[in-house]
Amino acid sequence: MKNSISKKIAGLNYAVHKSMTEDDNISIITAFTEESIRIFDADYGFVLGKFGVNDKYKLAYKSSKSPRTPSIPKNLKKNLIIPIKYFDHSYGSIILGYKNKPAFSKEHLALSETVGNAAAQAITVNWLVESERKAMALAEKQKETEVLLGQEKLKTEFISNITHELRTPLTIMRGNVYLARKNPKSSREALEVIDKEIVHLSEMLSDLVLVTSGSEITIHKDTLDLAEILSTVTNRLKSYAHEKNIHIKIKSKSKKIKFVGDSRHLERMFLNLVKNAITYGGTVVEVDISTNTKTATVKISDDGIGISKENLPRIFERFFRADKSRTRSDNRTGLGLSIVKKIAEMHGGRIEVKSTLGIGSVFTVTLPLRKA
Ligand code: ADP
C-alpha cells in the first residue's frame, strides 16, 4: 500500500509540475483531473467550479467517459469528490466516477485532499501571476504613453522656441531696414545693428546644427593643451569680465594638460561656461583645472545669482532660460548649456552642476584622457 501511495505521489508531482508550465486555469484543471483519474484509478472525472475571476460556477472540464451532463452526485457510492480548496477559498471540485468504486484507505483520502489543495494553489498562483502581468502591462503602456507625450511636448516646445528665436533677429533687421529707408541719416547705425543680428543669426544656426545633430557630427582629434585652451578662453572674455567688474582666476597644478579632442568645440564649450559665470556671476570667477591618470576635470565656479532647485534640472535643455526677460539684451539664446553638454558627451565626458540660489554655481566638466 505504501508503495502504491508513493507512486501516486509521483503522479501528483507530475500534475503540479505540469500546472506550473500552464498559464490558464482550464489547462491546470485538465492536468489535475487527468492525473487524479490515474492516481485514484477512476473511470472518468469532471470538474465543476468557478475558476476565472469573472466566471460563473460551471462545468470546467470533463474527461472521456464522463456523463453527458455531469453534476454533483447525490450519493457517493460511485464517486470520489476532491474539493479544490485553498485555506478558506473553494474554487470547486474534481469529481471522479467509478463503475466499481474501490475502498479508499485513510492515506488515499488524505492524498485526495492534497491533490485538491495543490490544484487550488496552482490556480491561486496563476490568478496572482495573471493579475500581476496585467498590472505590469498596464504600467508599461502608461509609461510608454508618458514618454511619447513628453517627447511630443519637447518637440512642440522646441519648434515654437526656434521659430521665436529666429524671428526675433529678423524682426530687428526689418525694423532697421525700415528706419534706414525712412531716414538715410541713420542708415549707418541701422546697418551696424543689422550686421550684429546677422552674426547672431548665423551663430544661432550653427548652434542649432550642433544641438540637433546626432552622432553624424564629426569631431576632430587634435592633440592639444587644455590649460592653453582655457587661458585663450579667459583672455577672450577679459574685457567682458572687466565690464562686469569680475575678476577671473585660473588655477592649474600642471602648466600643460595634453588632451586629444576637437579644439574648436572644446573652446566653444569652455567659452560658454565662463561667459555664463560672468553673465550670472558676482565678483570672482574661478577656473580650476586638475587631472589624474584617467581624467581631466575643469571646475568653473562663480559667486553670482545661483540657480533655483526647480530650474537646476532644466538648465541643460535647449532654449531653457531661468529669467527670459533679462537675457535677450546679451544675445543669449538658451542654447549655451545644451551645447556644453553635447560637446562634453561628444568627447566621452560629462557635465555636472551644483548651485545655490543667491550664493553661486559650480559647473564641472570631466573629460576622459585618451592617448594621442
Ligand atoms: P543662456 O543663453 O540663456 O545663457 P544657457 O543654456 O547658457 O543659456 O543657460 C541656461 C540658463 O541657465 C540661463 O538662462 C541661466 O538662467 C542659467 N545659468 C547658466 N549658467 C549659470 C550660472 N553660472 N549662474 C546662474 N545661472 C546660470
Side-chain angles (χ1 to χ4, degrees):
M1 172 62 80
K2 267 207 174 136
N3 212 359
S4 89
I5 281 274
S6 64
K7 262 192 197 153
K8 288 176 194 313
I9 289 178
L12 171 63
N13 272 339
Y14 171 76
V16 171
H17 176 75
K18 193 154 189 320
S19 74
M20 277 158 61
T21 59
E22 302 291 358
D23 58 5
D24 72 288
N25 285 336
I26 297 304
S27 307
I28 292 173
I29 287 159
T30 306
F32 270 95
T33 312
E34 288 299 336
E35 212 45 50
S36 299
I37 294 171
R38 258 187 293 279
I39 295 171
F40 299 102
D41 304 315
D43 295 319
Y44 62 85
F46 60 88
V47 180
L48 291 165
K50 177 181 177 316
F51 299 99
V53 183
N54 300 316
D55 269 4
K56 283 193 179 125
Y57 190 90
K58 62 176 187 195
L59 175 70
Y61 174 70
K62 70 173 186 174
S63 76
S64 61
K65 294 189 200 151
S66 291
R68 209 184 291 163
T69 48
S71 60
I72 294 275
K74 299 244 160 35
N75 71 62
L76 296 179
K77 276 189 189 149
K78 288 185 178 297
N79 297 90
L80 173 66
I81 295 188
I82 304 175
I84 304 174
K85 202 173 153 190
Y86 183 57
F87 287 111
D88 286 344
H89 189 81
S90 178
Y91 289 96
S93 305
I94 300 173
I95 294 130
L96 300 178
Y98 300 85
K99 267 191 205 121
N100 301 305
K101 187 181 163 191
F104 288 116
S105 67
K106 260 192 198 161
E107 286 94 337
H108 280 99
L109 293 176
L111 180 62
S112 79
E113 217 174 276
T114 311
V115 171
N117 208 255
Q121 283 191 42
I123 290 161
T124 308
V125 168
N126 196 41
W127 269 24
L128 292 175
V129 169
E130 191 56 27
S131 53
E132 181 75 1
R133 198 181 291 153
K134 274 189 190 144
M136 267 162 68
L138 194 70
E140 194 65 30
K141 273 249 160 64
Q142 266 170 353
K143 225 161 114 189
E144 272 171 27
T145 316
E146 271 166 29
V147 168
L148 283 177
L149 282 175
Q151 282 172 352
E152 203 48 45
K153 196 170 160 242
L154 275 183
K155 250 192 217 159
T156 319
E157 264 178 31
F158 181 65
I159 291 169
S160 91
N161 278 329
I162 207 173
T163 316
H164 174 76
E165 290 305 329
L166 294 175
R167 204 171 268 159
T168 312
L170 289 175
T171 312
I172 297 173
M173 284 195 252
R174 212 170 173 192
N176 279 279
V177 168
Y178 174 80
L179 271 181
R181 270 213 189 118
K182 227 182 152 195
N183 182 5
K185 268 188 202 158
S186 66
S187 63
R188 199 187 156 83
E189 242 170 77
L191 276 176
E192 264 168 27
V193 176
I194 290 169
D195 194 36
K196 238 175 146 181
E197 289 303 321
I198 288 172
V199 171
H200 177 54
L201 201 57
S202 65
E203 267 176 9
M204 204 157 66
L205 286 175
S206 52
D207 284 355
L208 274 171
V209 170
L210 189 64
V211 290
T212 53
S213 53
S215 51
E216 71 278 5
I217 204 149
T218 43
I219 69 162
H220 293 115
K221 290 192 174 151
D222 314 315
T223 302
L224 48 91
D225 174 9
L226 271 187
E228 192 186 315
I229 289 206
L230 280 149
S231 113
T232 311
V233 164
T234 48
N235 276 335
R236 276 181 64 187
L237 291 169
K238 234 182 197 157
S239 63
Y240 181 50
H242 184 73
E243 202 182 292
K244 295 239 167 195
N245 249 335
I246 284 176
H247 176 58
I248 307 179
K249 274 198 224 164
I250 292 201
K251 280 199 329 199
S252 173
K253 284 212 178 94
S254 4
K255 273 203 173 141
K256 263 189 159 206
I257 295 167
K258 213 166 146 190
F259 187 79
V260 180
D262 190 309
S263 51
R264 197 175 56 96
H265 280 140
L266 289 167
E267 196 173 315
R268 184 68 206 280
M269 172 172 78
F270 292 123
L271 189 93
N272 285 1
L273 286 172
V274 181
K275 197 170 176 193
N276 275 356
I278 300 169
T279 307
Y280 307 106
T283 55
V284 181
V285 169
E286 233 177 67
V287 180
D288 188 309
I289 319 164
S290 61
T291 51
N292 59 32
T293 50
K294 286 190 179 151
T295 53
T297 305
V298 180
K299 260 188 198 174
I300 293 147
S301 332
D302 66 68
D303 54 352
I305 59 170
I307 303 157
S308 70
K309 267 193 194 145
E310 304 83 70
N311 287 335
L312 206 55
R314 300 203 55 199
I315 56 167
F316 295 103
E317 282 172 22
R318 295 180 286 209
F319 294 116
F320 180 80
R321 276 179 260 164
D323 180 358
K324 293 195 168 92
S325 58
R326 186 190 48 217
T327 47
R328 171 66 209 166
S329 58
D330 258 340
N331 266 358
R332 306 198 65 91
T333 59
L335 284 175
L337 286 179
S338 55
I339 287 170
V340 167
K341 186 163 181 268
K342 180 95 184 200
I343 295 174
E345 284 169 0
M346 270 161 47
H347 286 84
R350 61 176 194 278
I351 168 94
E352 282 158 318
V353 58
K354 279 193 180 140
S355 186
T356 313
L357 202 61
I359 306 274
S361 313
V362 184
F363 285 83
T364 309
V365 180
T366 312
L367 299 169
L369 292 172
R370 287 201 196 96
K371 285 199 181 104

